[in-house]
Amino acid sequence: MVSQVHLGHIFHVAGRPNVQEAADALVSVPDGALVVGRDGRIAYCGGRDELPAEFRGAEPTDHRPGFLLPGFVDAHIHFPQTFAGDAYGGGQLLEWLTRCIYPSESQLADPVYAQRAAVAFCTRRIAVGTTAAMVFGSAFPHAQDALFGETRRRGLRMVSGRGIQTTGEDAVAPLITSEDEAIRLAKSEIDTWHAVDTGDVDTALLHVAIVPRFALAVTSETLRNLGELYDSVRDRGVYFHSHLNENNRPGTGEVDSTKQAYQVDSYLDTYDGKFLPGSQVGGKSLLGKRSIFAHGVHCQEAELRRLAQTGSSIAHCPVSQQFLGSGTMPWKRTIAAGVTVAAGTDYGGGDEWSIPRVLAAAFKVHISEPGEDGVSMHPAEMLFTGTLAGARALDMESRFGNFDLGKEADFLVVDPTGTPALEDTLAQGIRSDDPVLARDQMLFALLMGMSESTIAQVYVRGRRIDDH
Ligand code: GUN
Ligand code: ZN
């Protein structure tokens, strides 16, 4: 691969800020050039006028008046729900799981169906510009093989693990395994797929996670065994992923049901080795800087502190929280605790594949939080949450997430002409005389108005990804 020079309006959040510092770290280069070296890394990001002489010989690819953005990171999405979007369950989370999701995920027992789902899943990811993702996997090993195989063929980044379930109602029976089988299959997936593409966890595009569906889907024995297993593979860079504090309908919701089932003080305790009655220690913790918990809508202060202390992250999924009536994650309180908050679609709990649609939902729900809790998210915070925070949640911030020199070039060509309403908004909308506010207004309009049709090209590590 020779050096590539891409021209367009660059937006990214530079350096290693936290979300509160994102506005100061926002970089906007209206007449920008992004240079990708032969090694697939960012060799230059700046003004076209200041393009270093060494890159002037290369024929540039001119995307103007398009934009160049870092690839989006989806920190929580369900592969076996590829065909389960907009499913009507006549209730909230637990009814929807029983009536729609367990039967739907059971379809992947058929290898042909599973392969079709893997192809469709990757196609959708590419269409919406999701270059990296934490993917909640199928219970069926052949379906996970199809997913990893197809993801590798397309050249996408992914962390995924088979959804582990060792107990549950009749509807979920096809997804349940014995205790021994659950551990055997998790180990086997790690050995087969973790960093398989390069053989080195620090350069791989593919990684494996240990993924119990949620505490209610497993037993104390499973949690103890997973703690042992995770402890033995942490130093290989294996991930952990699950759901946490998503739905608190009083009495019968997920949060109360979990606390009742385990007799623990907090939901997080079940993943933190404290899954015995009274939150007594029964095994090793599953928390850490490679652990991502989806939702975290109803966390106690102590749970947020513990997530922050262990470097664990939250995948914030406001589209799903609206779809399933799960409530609103308190934005100010959660980020004040110092937890990394990335964005997740939670598809098919969410009915959008696109991370910008999730960021737009985040803006709307957080401005609507009551009283002092309400906040008008800065567009740089939105961009940060959908890109750099995702890379940080995946513990790969040093590799991608923005256009800092030397990072692997995961980026999108965003073409507003693909979306006429957005094109009009950008061209005709009024902008402040203050150049900083005008910049922020443009980024906001772009993120709010962007959709699948706006994503023109997708690159991972400098390589253009085909959408077929
Ligand atoms: N909790 C347990 N399983 C699921 C799932 O599939 N989706 C969501 N949103 N929450 C869950
Ligand atoms: Zn989910």
Side-chain angles (χ1 to χ4, degrees):
M1 197 157 59
V2 293
S3 294
Q4 316 158 37
V5 178
H6 297 271
L7 305 180
H9 185 151
I10 294 169
F11 274 119
H12 77 124
V13 177
R16 301 177 71 92
N18 61 34
V19 62
Q20 294 95 332
E21 298 160 342
D24 289 336
L26 178 64
V27 173
S28 167
V29 192
D31 193 7
L34 187 70
V35 180
V36 182
R38 278 174 240 279
D39 56 358
R41 293 172 188 275
I42 306 287
Y44 173 78
C45 173
R48 185 167 60 98
D49 291 352
E50 295 105 70
L51 187 68
E54 58 188 298
F55 303 123
R56 293 225 174 115
E59 184 64 34
T61 312
D62 196 348
H63 304 290
R64 293 173 297 170
F67 296 83
L68 302 170
L69 299 185
F72 294 118
V73 182
D74 190 338
H76 178 63
I77 180 167
H78 292 259
F79 158 54
Q81 295 173 22
T82 297
F83 301 132
D86 288 325
Y88 176 68
Q92 295 192 350
L93 173 66
L94 298 181
E95 292 83 15
W96 169 82
L97 286 171
T98 303
R99 296 191 192 135
C100 308
I101 294 307
Y102 298 148
S104 195
E105 293 197 6
S106 300
Q107 302 287 304
L108 277 81
D110 172 1
V112 175
Y113 188 95
Q115 177 62 31
R116 195 178 303 141
V119 172
F121 182 82
C122 292
T123 302
R124 291 267 65 74
R125 272 191 61 181
I126 297 164
V128 295
T130 296
T131 49
M134 172 61 93
V135 180
F136 201 105
S138 165
F140 302 107
H142 62 257
Q144 285 300 97
D145 290 344
L147 176 67
F148 275 108
E150 184 64 14
T151 304
R152 184 180 195 175
R153 189 180 75 76
R154 302 287 190 97
L156 293 162
R157 283 185 202 276
M158 179 177 74
V159 182
S160 184
R162 101 169 256 283
I164 298 168
Q165 181 111 21
T166 52
T167 186
E169 58 196 283
D170 289 350
V172 75
L175 309 181
I176 295 178
T177 67
S178 68
E179 300 287 353
D180 288 350
E181 188 71 347
I183 300 305
R184 191 186 69 72
L185 292 175
K187 273 188 186 149
S188 155
E189 189 172 21
I190 293 166
D191 291 339
T192 308
W193 289 110
H194 190 57
V196 69
D197 52 313
T198 63
D200 176 357
V201 64
D202 295 327
T203 57
L205 295 181
L206 300 179
H207 297 94
V208 174
I210 293 174
V211 186
R213 173 167 219 110
F214 60 169
L216 285 175
V218 294
T219 65
S220 304
E221 186 182 344
T222 321
L223 289 170
R224 191 180 59 243
N225 292 340
L226 291 180
E228 291 296 326
L229 174 60
Y230 196 44
D231 204 51
S232 71
V233 293
R234 268 184 199 266
D235 63 356
R236 290 165 64 187
V238 171
Y239 291 80
F240 178 80
H241 189 43
S242 196
H243 294 94
L244 173 72
N245 284 323
E246 175 177 3
N247 183 286
N248 78 338
R249 201 180 44 199
T252 56
E254 172 222 21
V255 178
D256 280 353
S257 301
T258 305
K259 286 179 16 195
Q260 275 159 23
Y262 285 90
Q263 292 293 306
V264 285
D265 303 331
S266 82
Y267 192 151
L268 188 66
D269 284 345
T270 62
Y271 301 127
D272 200 10
K274 300 193 284 183
F275 48 76
L276 295 181
S279 288
Q280 288 186 74
V281 175
K284 298 206 162 76
S285 176
L286 296 159
L287 278 55
K289 65 184 174 24
R290 293 207 159 191
S291 301
I292 301 183
F293 294 93
H295 300 288
V297 175
H298 308 287
C299 288
Q300 303 169 24
E301 217 48 52
E303 291 176 295
L304 291 177
R305 269 201 309 275
R306 182 70 181 143
L307 288 170
Q309 181 191 42
T310 55
S312 308
S313 303
I314 288 178
H316 180 30
C317 310
V319 171
S320 161
Q321 285 143 22
Q322 289 182 307
F323 185 79
L324 292 171
S326 301
T328 300
M329 187 198 80
W331 178 260
K332 281 190 181 172
R333 192 160 77 82
T334 308
I335 62 167
V339 184
T340 297
V341 176
T345 58
D346 194 22
Y347 199 89
D351 58 349
E352 298 277 4
W353 288 90
S354 154
I355 285 296
R357 298 310 304 144
V358 171
L359 302 173
F363 180 84
K364 292 178 214 173
V365 300
H366 298 308
I367 202 168
S368 304
E369 287 193 66
E372 290 293 298
D373 296 334
V375 56
S376 171
M377 285 177 78
H378 192 285
E381 293 176 353
M382 295 165 66
L383 181 63
F384 170 85
T385 302
T387 57
L388 194 58
R392 185 173 299 168
L394 289 171
D395 193 29
M396 287 192 271
E397 183 179 11
S398 59
R399 293 183 58 188
F400 62 91
N402 62 16
F403 296 147
D404 286 355
L405 287 191
K407 280 202 184 178
E408 298 171 29
D410 288 15
F411 68 99
L412 309 174
V413 176
V414 173
D415 178 7
T417 62
T419 312
L422 172 62
E423 189 185 12
D424 282 353
T425 307
L426 291 173
Q428 311 295 337
I430 55 155
R431 299 280 176 262
S432 170
D433 293 335
D434 170 8
V436 172
L437 183 53
R439 172 200 72 175
D440 296 345
Q441 289 171 330
M442 175 177 277
L443 177 60
F444 185 71
L446 187 64
L447 291 173
M448 296 297 286
M450 204 166 163
S451 62
E452 202 171 302
S453 60
T454 328
I455 308 291
Q457 295 179 18
V458 178
Y459 292 78
V460 171
R461 210 152 58 185
R463 184 175 153 262
R464 180 144 177 214
I465 305 290
D466 278 342
D467 51 10
H468 55 270

